[in-house]
Amino acid sequence: YDPKKSGAFSPVGSGFPASMRRIRGKRIKAMSYNNENIFAKILRGEIPCDKVYENDQALAFKDINPQAPVHILVIPKGPYISYADFGQQASDAELAGFMRAVGEVAKQLGVTERGSRILSNQGEDGHQEVPHFHVHLLGGKNLGRMIKPIDK
């Protein structure tokens, strides 16, 4: 998959509807893919990154604002907004290639033995900052609780 040749990041269409959708009976406004997001620019080679791994389906690079000794972003090469979008729209090859990339990066960086965390933020409540699906691979220290327990 080559995003530069596929037209996936061209201004014409994104493969994801910007119309209203229903999730669990509630109307939500779906985000539309923004071809000018920072990860699309990285995939097109317009912005550099500190690459640690790449395969046909995914690119992994160091986060510019690391929250742990190991903090890698893994992004699919296709124009997917969120894990929900990726899970519904990606091909089997894209799904498998992406997950293999996450596992390979964890192995290469030595965080499989002691443990690591993968995290993906989606939407406003999840504090998604870039409208391109990605996971954060974190490790290299005790990461503590994932989130605080809910107040009862």
Side-chain angles (χ1 to χ4, degrees), residues 88-148:
Q88 291 175 348
Q89 304 295 327
S91 69
D92 289 346
E94 289 173 301
L95 292 164
F98 180 81
M99 289 310 297
R100 285 190 178 104
V102 173
E104 185 60 31
V105 169
K107 181 180 173 184
Q108 284 182 8
L109 296 177
V111 296
T112 56
E113 290 296 318
R114 292 196 38 92
S116 63
R117 178 174 295 149
I118 57 173
L119 172 78
S120 179
N121 302 318
Q122 178 179 316
E124 185 177 345
D125 283 355
H127 292 255
Q128 182 176 3
E129 295 176 4
V130 178
H132 184 108
F133 170 57
H134 58 286
V135 299
H136 298 256
L137 172 64
L138 301 141
K141 72 173 190 172
N142 182 329
L143 298 170
R145 287 191 70 93
M146 186 166 61
I147 57 175
K148 295 179 182 177

